[in-house]
Amino acid sequence: MTDQLRAVAIGPDRVDIVVGHGTDEELAAWYYAEINLHEDERTDYHVSEYPLDTKLEWEEVGDMTLRQLVADCPEFPCIAGWED
């Protein structure tokens, strides 16, 4: 596990954004367990890095970085949002 906070996008088409401490594999394993996705259902899922410090437009809060969005999050990993 890594101490550095990072984000990954996980999904086939619409992706969920997972933020936490760990490798791509560790964050993906947490995500799959969280959404109860069995191994045989993961064939179309891809995991890729997601920017923490690029300003993005969030539907409910406007423009801010992902790091700012999760600044008050009490527990990691978490699903911080999604992107189509």
Side-chain angles (χ1 to χ4, degrees):
M1 184 176 292
T2 175
D3 290 335
Q4 185 176 353
L5 190 63
R6 51 194 312 276
V8 292
I10 304 173
D13 297 318
R14 185 196 94 147
V15 297
D16 285 328
I17 302 163
V18 176
V19 178
H21 304 275
T23 64
D24 289 359
E25 294 80 15
E26 290 168 330
L27 293 174
W30 174 86
Y31 172 77
Y32 295 142
E34 187 72 13
I35 66 165
N36 202 20
L37 188 69
H38 298 285
E39 194 168 328
D40 58 334
E41 299 174 295
R42 301 176 195 169
T43 57
D44 293 336
Y45 279 67
H46 305 281
V47 179
S48 59
E49 287 190 46
Y50 198 85
L52 275 175
D53 295 313
T54 301
K55 279 218 175 195
L56 302 165
E57 181 162 343
W58 301 94
E59 192 172 296
E60 295 182 16
V61 294
D63 290 347
M64 67 174 44
T65 67
L66 182 55
R67 188 180 305 276
Q68 291 170 317
L69 183 70
V70 300
D72 295 330
C73 186
E75 189 175 318
F76 292 105
C78 69
I79 299 173
W82 63 89
E83 186 174 83
D84 290 322

